[in-house]
Amino acid sequence: MTTALPSQPDARGRFGPYGGRFVPETLIPALEELEAAYASACQDPAFWDAYRSLLAEYVGRPTPLTYAERLTAHFGRGRIYLKREDLCHTGAHKINNALGQVLLALRMGKRRIIAETGAGQHGVATATACARFGLECVVYMGARDMERQRLNVERMQLLGAEVRAVRSGSATLKDATNEAIRDWVTNVRTTFYVIGSVVGPHPYPRLVRDFQRIIGDEVREQMLRREGRLPTHLVACVGGGSNAIGLFYPFLQEPSVQLYGVEAAGLGLDTDHTAATLSRGRPGVLHGAYSYLLQTPDGQVLPAHSISAGLDYPGVGPEHSYLRDIRRVHYEAATDSEALQAVRLLTRLEGILPALETAHAIAFLNRLMPETNPEDLIVVNCSGRGDKDLATIVSAFEEAEEDVA
Ligand SMILES: *Cc1c(COP(=O)(O)O)cnc(C)c1O
């Protein structure tokens, strides 16, 4: 990596060959309207002032960069820091994006908000932003996910959102996304669709990235203040890829910084029960964009599997597909059981219970740390807290006949 990367995406919303707009004709005007509104917001300092003061006073930013002293001692080299997105209001990084998009909806005069959700985290973040501004909120969620994440369903309802169960297909995130797109086509004049990750048609991957880059911007400043130099390694889990690109983006042009995205291998990369899109997928079209995709040889989308609902998605953001192909980011994978062990490791050594999604990034340290140098500075994005996963974690340990302790 010696040459500067071109500014991405291009005018057609492409990251290299990836991204674009693969949607029904009826949605093109809505995407053009959104693109114009976002372009005007980008020129308006008042918009970013409102966004930044919400992050400071409502989300609790900047989130700390915590030195993980005992985790560092465990590996015996380098210095490991955790970027504490788990301390954001609502417990994960998703609120950064939900608030940004809701501010955009207000700017566009749209007072009906729809969203899709898998784990329920994006639904909770969106319902929270809607409650804060008094907007109508409809969240589409797979019926199976609603069973797995009951607490989040109740949270969304308490926040005043209507949660609509989706029973088609595998009754998970990709099916909920299809329903949300259908709603948008029907109600496009009054409705703003808040997408939860750096996926979907242009301009979503770009604007979600822009609302999440605050993570990397803060890390840069915090690390310079604390250590007087840039980090050497950044690690983040990848579902759709928003917390990872948020951390990576301000460092893409820094060749000295190594970037690692960790996908969910599920039961293993060699099994059919995986969510490791960039390791196991091929490019194809899903939910409005061209990107890597888990699919059969004849192009049917394969169901993904991961113990963590937030990584259980057969697609990935188009910018990650591009960064994979040009080898700017290394994409790795961690299994369900590696993630579970990592939950225990971080909880025991640092008193921080990570989300199962986050635990995939922690698990990768087992492979990364032996290759690092004593002076290296490693930052792991602690994308969310694990309270929501406690029941899953406990029953997985019971199944493996291991004591939780
Ligand atoms: C949703 C979620 C993820 C995965 O989404 P990305 O868009 O890949 O960041 C990761 N961690 C947590 C805690 C989540 O809630």
Side-chain angles (χ1 to χ4, degrees):
M1 269 303 307
T2 48
T3 51
L5 296 170
S7 153
Q8 300 278 351
D10 65 19
R12 292 158 52 238
R14 296 288 185 141
F15 303 86
Y18 302 108
R21 241 174 220 169
F22 295 83
V23 295
E25 203 59 45
T26 42
L27 279 184
I28 296 289
L31 290 167
E32 282 172 352
E33 184 192 3
L34 175 61
E35 190 177 6
Y38 185 60
S40 120
C42 282
Q43 303 299 318
D44 180 1
F47 178 82
W48 296 99
D49 285 349
Y51 165 75
R52 276 192 216 97
S53 73
L54 265 177
L55 291 187
E57 291 165 23
Y58 189 68
V59 177
R61 305 204 73 93
T63 58
L65 184 67
T66 303
Y67 174 53
E69 185 179 345
R70 297 186 69 223
L71 189 67
T72 296
H74 171 79
F75 288 109
R77 58 212 298 159
R79 289 168 72 75
I80 303 170
Y81 286 86
L82 303 170
K83 179 58 173 166
R84 302 294 306 281
E85 294 302 294
D86 58 313
L87 296 179
C88 289
H89 178 45
T90 71
H93 65 288
K94 289 200 173 76
I95 191 79
N96 304 327
N97 166 55
L99 285 169
Q101 288 194 50
V102 161
L103 285 179
L104 207 49
L106 288 170
R107 193 180 168 91
M108 295 170 77
K110 308 213 180 200
R111 301 194 62 87
R112 180 175 182 267
I113 302 293
I114 59 170
E116 83 296 332
T117 197
Q121 290 298 103
H122 173 58
V124 167
T126 304
T128 299
C130 289
R132 169 66 184 74
F133 288 100
L135 301 178
E136 181 186 347
C137 182
V138 175
V139 178
Y140 289 91
M141 190 168 185
R144 259 195 54 195
D145 287 338
M146 285 177 72
E147 283 165 31
R148 292 198 282 188
Q149 306 281 341
R150 273 203 37 167
L151 216 57
N152 273 340
V153 173
E154 284 157 4
R155 255 170 109 187
M156 287 184 271
Q157 289 167 340
L158 198 56
L159 286 159
E162 179 194 339
V163 183
R164 289 193 188 161
V166 177
R167 295 177 214 287
S168 54
S170 53
T172 59
L173 177 57
K174 98 178 150 49
D175 313 291
T177 305
N178 288 334
E179 279 311 309
I181 293 172
R182 214 160 287 155
D183 180 315
W184 203 32
V185 171
T186 313
N187 302 298
V188 71
R189 215 175 38 78
T190 57
T191 300
F192 189 103
Y193 179 17
V194 175
I195 290 186
S197 190
V198 282
V199 299
H202 177 64
Y204 282 102
R206 174 179 167 200
L207 66 89
V208 176
R209 176 194 74 196
D210 293 350
F211 291 137
Q212 292 292 1
R213 68 168 289 171
I214 186 75
I215 301 170
D217 286 335
E218 286 177 6
V219 164
R220 191 183 178 102
E221 201 185 307
Q222 289 167 320
M223 201 53 131
L224 286 174
R225 206 179 325 124
R226 171 102 196 217
E227 295 276 0
R229 59 194 169 104
L230 293 180
T232 57
H233 300 73
L234 303 179
V235 184
C237 65
V238 176
S242 69
N243 87 89
I245 204 74
L247 175 66
F248 298 164
Y249 188 69
F251 297 94
L252 285 180
Q253 312 281 357
E254 301 285 356
S256 67
V257 184
Q258 307 236 49
L259 309 173
Y260 297 86
V262 186
E263 294 188 306
L267 299 186
L269 285 181
D270 304 330
T271 71
D272 291 334
H273 298 271
T274 181
T277 309
L278 290 165
S279 300
R280 286 291 311 274
R282 285 182 294 117
V285 170
L286 178 66
H287 299 142
Y290 181 66
S291 192
Y292 277 77
L293 176 60
L294 292 174
Q295 55 185 309
T296 61
D298 57 353
Q300 297 296 313
V301 178
L302 281 167
H305 166 84
S306 168
I307 191 170
S308 93
L311 302 185
D312 197 349
Y313 181 63
V316 68
E319 190 162 14
H320 287 288
S321 292
Y322 171 69
L323 293 169
R324 171 200 190 274
D325 283 6
I326 65 165
R327 298 174 183 234
R328 177 62 188 97
V329 179
H330 308 275
Y331 292 93
E332 309 280 342
T335 63
D336 289 355
S337 80
E338 289 173 323
L340 279 165
Q341 299 302 328
V343 166
R344 178 150 46 193
L345 185 74
L346 192 70
T347 308
R348 280 304 183 86
L349 290 181
E350 298 293 343
I352 295 168
L353 170 59
L356 274 169
E357 292 86 0
T358 307
H360 289 73
I362 307 289
F364 174 64
L365 292 177
N366 286 312
R367 261 166 281 152
L368 177 67
M369 293 311 293
E371 293 173 13
T372 56
N373 294 313
E375 67 279 9
D376 284 346
L377 300 174
I378 296 96
V379 176
V380 184
N381 202 15
C382 195
S383 57
R385 66 176 186 228
D387 308 47
K388 69 182 175 61
D389 296 318
L390 206 50
T392 309
I393 292 164
V394 170
S395 70
F397 279 134
E398 278 168 5
E399 241 169 74
E401 298 186 341
E402 283 180 47
D403 292 334
V404 176

